[in-house]
Every structure is written in C-alpha cells, then in structure tokens.
Amino acid sequence: MTAPLTSKPASPLFLQEWQHMMDQECHQHGIWQIPFVQTLNDISNPSIRFELAAVWSLNMVDGSGWFPNYVMALAARFRVADNLSLDLVRHGLAENAWDELGSVGHTKRSHFWLAVRLNRLLGLHDQKIQHITPLAEARAYTKTHFNQCSSGDMKNAMGMLCLIEEFTTPEFTLIRKAFLESCQENMGMSPEKFTEGGGAEYFDANIEDDERHRLAMPALVAQWLECEGVDLSSKEQILNGLQPYREGIKQSIAARQQFFDGIYRFVKEGGSYKDLIVVT
C-alpha cells in the first residue's frame, strides 16, 4: 500500500529565515511612511481620511474579485505527475482560493461579497457597484499579479501571493481604523452603527483568514523547496532557494505602493469615491 501524502512542518531554520525576509521586505518597507499611510493615520483631517478609505474600498471590489483568480491560475500550472509531492502545494493553494471564495458559505463569507457589502454601506446600490471603474494603478496591480500567476515565473508568483497574505493585517487594520474614526463626521453614522451594519466585517474576515494563510504559505514554499532537493537545515541553501520568492515579494509590494500612491494623488487632486462610478 502506498503511504499517504502528508506534509511536515517547515524546519525552524527555514521559518526563521522566512520571517527575517518578511520583516525586511514587508514590515520594514518604506511603504509605511508614504503620504497615503501617514494621512490615514492623521486624525486631524477626518474628511481626507474617509475619502482615502472609501476610494480604497471601491477599488477593492475588483481587487477582492481578482485575488482567487491569481491563486487558482498558479495552482493550475503545477505538473504534479512529474513530482507527486508538489500536489501538497497545489492543494494548499486550492484551499486558499476556496477560503477566499467563501467556501461552503459562499456569499456569506466570500471576500468579494464582503467588499460588495462594505460598498453598499457607503451608499452604493448594486447597479452603481457594477459600474465602479478602478483607478489605473489598481488595474495595473491586478494585471501584474494575474499575469505573473497565469504565465510568469511560478516562484515569483508564489512570492507575490505570500506578500499579499503577510500584508493584509497591517493594511486592513489601517483602513478599518480610518473608517471607524471618520464615519460619524462623513457618513452621519456612529462607529457602532458602522460596525453593526457590516462595515467592519470585510476587514475582520480578511484579517482572520489571511492570518491563517500567512502561516500556511511558508509551509507550502518549504514543501516546494524540498521537492527540488533544497536542504532546509542549510542556511545557504535556504537563502538561495528563497531568492525567486523574494523577488516576487518585492514586485508585489512595489505594485501595492503604486496603488496607494494612485489613491492619494486622486484624492489630493479633488477626486471622490463617487467619481469612480462611471456609467457609459
């Protein structure tokens, strides 16, 4: 009888190097000092904070709709018949996409539908939501990620997905806080009503799911490296093996910064989230 295919925990040395890489490339990145982030943290101007958060939210309907496509596109490219153990990586990606799509709860838990409900709370009915035109920087972001996952370097693509999972908690915490501290003045809605109306649900669900995903992703990368014969007790081999994933991480956070810069520029030039609804 063939032994069942099971994954094993990544080595402590691998996890140490992984966290060091994420600290360098994500948590200590200059993106946290750009005007978009600084303004969202500035309580002295609730109207600008609200507009930044609202413009971000409208763009995230499209962004949340695209993310499972990235993951499924990458999963579909694994030639598991060539290396049976790679099916663990493919299966892990499929589980990730299934979570993002809401699993058996579908619309109740789907990140896309949670984004839709957040935009309904902002006063948009579904017809308007279907006519949201994302900013050019948002469209470039989704195109970059989907193209890499569907036809680019697979390890770069995996690194991009890992960055997204790592980035969720600080990003979504920032936007949620800005909404809760500006909704009274800009929506006539107390923070309690905003939360009760589902305003916090999109953020909470993404953070909850992606905290789990960000812990699962390095295990998938470790499995992939082991399939290629990388010794996960060797620091040199780990660092060399992680290089293409690191490149993807860098590409993804650079695209995210361009997205943030695009939102900030749009709002500073007088744009409002309502201007993103274009009916042709």
Side-chain angles (χ1 to χ4, degrees):
M1 178 180 291
T2 304
L5 190 64
T6 57
S7 60
K8 60 182 180 180
S11 71
L13 179 60
F14 172 85
L15 293 176
Q16 175 183 307
E17 293 305 320
W18 179 270
Q19 190 56 56
H20 181 62
M21 177 178 68
M22 281 301 184
D23 286 342
Q24 283 187 320
E25 305 297 349
C26 176
H27 301 292
Q28 297 166 11
H29 193 276
I31 195 171
W32 304 111
Q33 305 303 320
I34 64 174
F36 174 80
V37 174
Q38 291 180 330
T39 306
L40 280 168
N41 280 319
D42 182 2
I43 62 173
S44 68
N45 199 332
S47 62
I48 296 295
R49 293 177 83 197
F50 176 79
E51 281 293 350
L52 290 174
V55 170
W56 178 93
S57 298
L58 267 69
N59 281 277
M60 287 302 290
V61 174
D62 192 55
S64 294
W66 270 102
F67 183 78
N69 297 348
Y70 309 154
V71 184
M72 292 186 291
L74 180 59
R77 297 175 64 196
F78 281 89
R79 296 173 59 89
V80 296
D82 293 345
N83 190 321
L84 303 184
S85 293
L86 278 176
D87 192 45
L88 290 167
V89 182
R90 182 176 69 164
H91 187 268
L93 290 172
E95 285 187 320
N96 183 303
W98 184 234
D99 271 354
E100 295 282 340
L101 291 167
S103 67
V104 294
H106 190 200
T107 58
K108 181 179 180 181
R109 186 70 178 187
S110 159
H111 293 189
F112 167 72
W113 282 103
L114 289 171
V116 169
R117 290 203 285 278
L118 173 61
N119 279 268
R120 288 171 180 166
L121 191 64
L122 293 175
L124 306 183
H125 55 69
D126 288 2
Q127 189 66 23
K128 286 187 175 181
I129 292 172
Q130 290 172 167
H131 283 94
I132 293 172
T133 300
L135 294 174
E137 294 84 358
R139 295 196 299 272
Y141 178 92
T142 54
K143 181 179 180 181
T144 295
H145 284 74
F146 183 72
N147 286 350
Q148 190 70 277
C149 290
S150 61
S151 59
D153 183 276
M154 291 177 67
K155 293 174 184 176
N156 284 179
M158 187 69 159
M160 296 175 99
L161 298 180
C162 292
L163 185 279
I164 292 172
E165 306 291 10
E166 188 77 20
F167 204 79
T168 295
T169 292
E171 178 182 6
F172 279 60
T173 299
L174 175 72
I175 303 294
R176 180 181 59 189
K177 184 172 184 285
F179 266 132
L180 291 174
E181 294 178 353
S182 65
C183 60
Q184 181 71 65
E185 182 170 331
N186 293 276
M187 299 174 66
M189 185 182 295
S190 70
E192 293 76 20
K193 289 291 185 183
F194 181 84
T195 300
E196 291 169 5
E201 187 180 18
Y202 174 61
F203 303 98
D204 295 344
N206 272 274
I207 290 170
E208 179 183 335
D209 288 347
D210 287 358
E211 277 297 299
R212 185 172 67 255
H213 294 162
R214 80 175 186 88
L215 297 176
M217 294 299 268
L220 298 182
V221 172
Q223 180 69 41
W224 196 344
L225 291 176
E226 285 198 311
C227 286
E228 297 183 329
V230 174
D231 180 358
L232 297 188
S233 66
S234 164
K235 181 175 180 178
E236 180 181 5
Q237 288 195 36
I238 290 171
L239 292 178
N240 287 338
L242 284 178
Q243 191 56 39
Y245 302 93
R246 183 188 289 266
E247 288 304 313
I249 289 167
K250 290 179 176 180
Q251 292 168 26
S252 184
I253 202 165
R256 201 64 179 172
Q257 183 166 338
Q258 290 172 358
F259 172 49
F260 285 176
D261 287 343
I263 296 174
Y264 182 77
R265 188 162 48 247
F266 176 76
V267 172
K268 288 296 287 184
E269 291 174 356
S272 168
Y273 71 97
K274 295 178 182 178
D275 298 327
L276 295 177
I277 302 164
V278 180
V279 179
T280 55

